[in-house]
């Protein structure tokens, strides 16, 4: 393989100093236009590419932003990544992706590796197993820029970007009530997730406002595995008072639960109806998708998270650097026709 062309080689051929070449490539006004033109022309001829590694070492940066998320295969998180990459690549940053697979110990290990290997900043959505968050606080205490997104742990002072889940659950439950449903069940997520508590509060508030029954038998928590979802949905269907509608933690939970309903001979959106979160694109291909789904704007969440992180790590990028920004996007209830 041919060796990469360096600034020193351009300097040697033009009989000028490497520092002059460097300034000319940056179009410094301290260098004459004639010399700048000559340097750019030779750099193009020799197919010279500047070393971002060398540049980053000079300014004490790595040019790498890390993302730690539960599962990249989930459409929501892949859309967040798209939003982050859009802004990061525009400013010539690399995005490194890490998956916790919803495991606490793996999340801790990843963050420890990132802390010791120097990245310019970290964007994190916590694992469902995580109930203790000192490992996140340790990063912040060390001065490592951290932006928490979507699954945001409680009592951590850090930059945060998410969607108003409580409001989304409230609006979804109110909509079901307006459609005439009276026994609305909740297939919620695991207890440690703040998002699960947000859904619960929005659901309960809407039921109380509409004078609908609040029954523990209609509220089930799932660990987000297919097996547990099917078990909890079966419990709902075999109870003395079967629900006529279900608010599900997300579209994936709704789809698994709908399978159980079909096996029990129920017609989706006729005998029992669903509303959920995430607004997955695949819903448009289903014959009987959930009646409505709460859009959480994952792409915009990614953009905002990257915007905050870049405003902290790169002084050339304009942005609001007020300590610990908390951005909460408005949810949108997307209603589908039967």
């Amino acid at each position: 393989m041919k060796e990469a062309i360096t600034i020193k080689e351009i300097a040697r051929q033009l009989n000028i100093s490497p520092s002059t070449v460097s300034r000319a490539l940056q179009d410094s006004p301290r260098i004459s236009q004639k010399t700048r033109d000559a340097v750019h022309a030779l750099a193009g001829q020799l197919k010279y590419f500047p070393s971002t590694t060398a540049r980053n070492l000079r300014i004490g940066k790595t040019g790498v932003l890390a993302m730690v998320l539960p599962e990249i295969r989930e459409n929501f998180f892949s859309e967040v990544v798209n939003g982050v990459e859009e802004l990061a690549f525009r400013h010539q940053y690399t995005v490194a992706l890490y998956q916790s697979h919803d495991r606490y110990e793996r999340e801790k290990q990843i963050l420890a590796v990132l802390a010791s290997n120097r990245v310019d900043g970290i964007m994190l959505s916590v694992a469902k197993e995580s109930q203790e968050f000192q490992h996140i606080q340790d990063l912040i205490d060390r001065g490592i820029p951290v932006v928490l997104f979507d699954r945001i742990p409680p009592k951590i002072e850090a930059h945060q970007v998410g969607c108003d889940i409580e409001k989304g659950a409230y609006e979804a439950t109110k909509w079901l009530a307006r459609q005439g449903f009276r026994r609305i069940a909740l297939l919620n997520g695991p207890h440690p997730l703040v998002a699960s508590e947000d859904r619960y509060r929005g659901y309960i508030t809407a039921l109380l406002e509409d004078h609908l029954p609040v029954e523990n038998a209609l509220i089930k928590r799932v660990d987000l595995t297919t097996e547990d979802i099917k078990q909890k949905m079966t419990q709902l269907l075999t109870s003395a008072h079967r629900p006529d509608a279900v608010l599900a933690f997300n579209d994936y939970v709704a789809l698994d639960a709908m399978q159980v309903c079909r096996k029990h001979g129920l017609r989706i959106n006729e005998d029992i109806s669903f509303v959920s979160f995430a607004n997955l694109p695949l819903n448009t291909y289903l014959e009987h998708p959930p009646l409505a789904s709460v859009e959480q704007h994952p792409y915009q969440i990614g953009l905002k998270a990257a915007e905050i992180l870049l405003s902290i790590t790169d002084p050339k990028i304009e942005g609001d650097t007020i300590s610990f920004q908390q951005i909460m996007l408005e949810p949108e209830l997307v209603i589908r026709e039967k």
Side-chain angles (χ1 to χ4, degrees), residues 173-235:
T173 307
K174 292 285 283 188
W175 183 82
L176 284 170
R178 288 197 298 272
Q179 307 313 303
F181 296 103
R182 288 294 173 264
R183 294 187 58 78
I184 303 170
L186 173 64
L187 272 180
N188 206 0
H191 177 72
L193 290 182
V194 172
S196 297
E197 304 314 303
D198 291 340
R199 284 167 172 78
Y200 177 79
R201 285 194 301 271
Y203 163 80
I204 293 296
T205 301
L207 290 182
L208 292 175
E209 284 186 2
D210 282 275
H211 307 290
L212 294 177
V214 177
E215 300 179 32
N216 289 333
L218 289 177
I219 301 171
K220 302 292 182 182
R221 290 188 181 273
V222 300
D223 62 11
L224 304 183
T225 64
T226 296
E227 294 75 16
D228 194 43
I229 294 166
K230 289 183 176 180
Q231 179 184 348
K232 299 299 172 51
M233 190 65 221
T234 299
Q235 291 174 6

Side-chain angles (χ1 to χ4, degrees), residues 246-284:
V246 178
L247 174 62
F249 182 83
N250 60 27
D251 286 337
Y252 295 109
V253 172
L255 293 175
D256 282 335
M258 288 159 70
Q259 278 191 320
V260 176
C261 294
R262 292 190 185 94
K263 288 181 179 178
H264 280 74
L266 300 178
R267 296 167 298 170
I268 304 302
N269 299 335
E270 295 291 340
D271 301 318
I272 188 168
S273 298
F274 286 81
V275 170
S276 55
F277 284 73
N279 191 33
L280 292 177
L282 65 84
N283 282 321
T284 60

